[in-house]
């Protein structure tokens, strides 16, 4: 997952959660009252302010080891912090959805989730690429045709 943090001057800092160390992830879990990492990832997808702030805090501690989570704040977090999905995460989600859709022989599940994945994606075009990789590129074309 990519966390974007828009600075006061408009520059955007990108933090890849895959680049966090195990100790940083454990510190985040502890700072969030022992919330397990899997739940933190779900909260990031939901744009939870505490989870977003915790990721930035962990990275800031690399330069400021004494920085306390309770003292770290991001004013205007709603416009400045965003969690975005990577292409691998989109591919995993679509693979899981496709497995279930194939068992029911329907594409409607993929049709329903694709717009949501585009909204969360770091690069919305990754959704179309992943659909092509899964042999479901026709869903992308069908969506584009209905928009015209």
């Amino acid at each position: 997952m990519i966390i974007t943090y828009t600075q006061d001057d408009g520059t955007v800092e990108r933090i890849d959660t895959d680049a966090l160390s195990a100790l940083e992830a454990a510190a985040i879990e502890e700072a969030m009252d022992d919330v397990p990492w899997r739940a933190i990832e779900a909260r990031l997808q939901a744009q939870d302010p505490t989870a977003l702030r915790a990721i930035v805090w962990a990275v800031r501690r690399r330069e400021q080891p004494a920085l306390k989570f309770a003292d770290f704040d991001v004013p205007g977090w709603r416009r400045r912090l965003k969690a975005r999905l990577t292409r691998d995460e989109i591919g995993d989600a679509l693979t899981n959805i496709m497995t279930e859709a194939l068992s029911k022989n329907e594409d409607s599940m993929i049709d329903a989730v694709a717009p949501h994945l585009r909204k969360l994606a770091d690069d919305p075009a990754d959704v179309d690429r992943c659909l092509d990789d899964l042999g479901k590129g026709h869903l992308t074309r069908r969506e584009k045709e209905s928009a015209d």
Side-chain angles (χ1 to χ4, degrees):
M1 193 163 296
I2 304 293
I3 308 305
T4 59
Y5 179 17
T6 304
Q7 306 292 327
D8 290 335
D9 65 2
T11 60
V12 178
E13 177 182 1
R14 296 168 51 85
I15 302 167
D16 187 339
T17 59
D18 285 346
L20 294 171
S21 72
L23 289 175
E24 288 170 329
I28 292 167
E29 290 175 331
E30 184 178 325
M32 291 183 59
D33 296 325
D34 297 320
V35 173
W37 186 255
R38 192 173 288 285
I40 291 169
E41 287 181 318
R43 288 173 67 170
L44 288 169
Q45 287 183 19
Q47 307 300 315
D48 177 82
T50 304
L52 292 163
R53 180 174 63 100
I55 301 298
V56 178
W57 165 77
V59 171
R60 292 293 179 274
R61 282 185 28 164
R62 293 173 182 169
E63 299 296 321
Q64 305 168 43
L67 184 61
K68 303 241 184 286
F69 184 61
D71 297 334
F72 181 74
D73 194 12
V74 179
W77 72 270
R78 193 177 300 271
R79 66 180 159 70
R80 296 176 76 182
L81 294 174
K82 300 281 185 240
R84 296 290 179 238
L85 300 175
T86 64
R87 182 175 179 169
D88 287 343
E89 291 165 328
I90 293 165
D92 289 346
L94 286 172
T95 298
N96 291 338
I97 292 165
M98 192 167 139
T99 299
E100 189 169 329
L102 287 174
S103 71
K104 296 178 180 182
N105 197 23
E106 51 183 61
D107 287 338
S108 62
M109 291 172 64
I110 297 170
D111 280 336
V113 78
H116 179 68
L117 288 173
R118 279 188 190 86
K119 184 177 177 182
L120 286 175
D122 185 45
D123 180 356
D126 283 342
V127 175
D128 298 340
R129 290 182 198 107
C130 289
L131 285 169
D132 281 338
D133 292 348
L134 292 169
K136 292 292 185 176
H138 65 282
L139 295 175
T140 301
R141 289 184 284 286
R142 185 168 69 203
E143 183 176 303
K144 287 177 183 171
E145 289 168 3
S146 66
D148 292 340

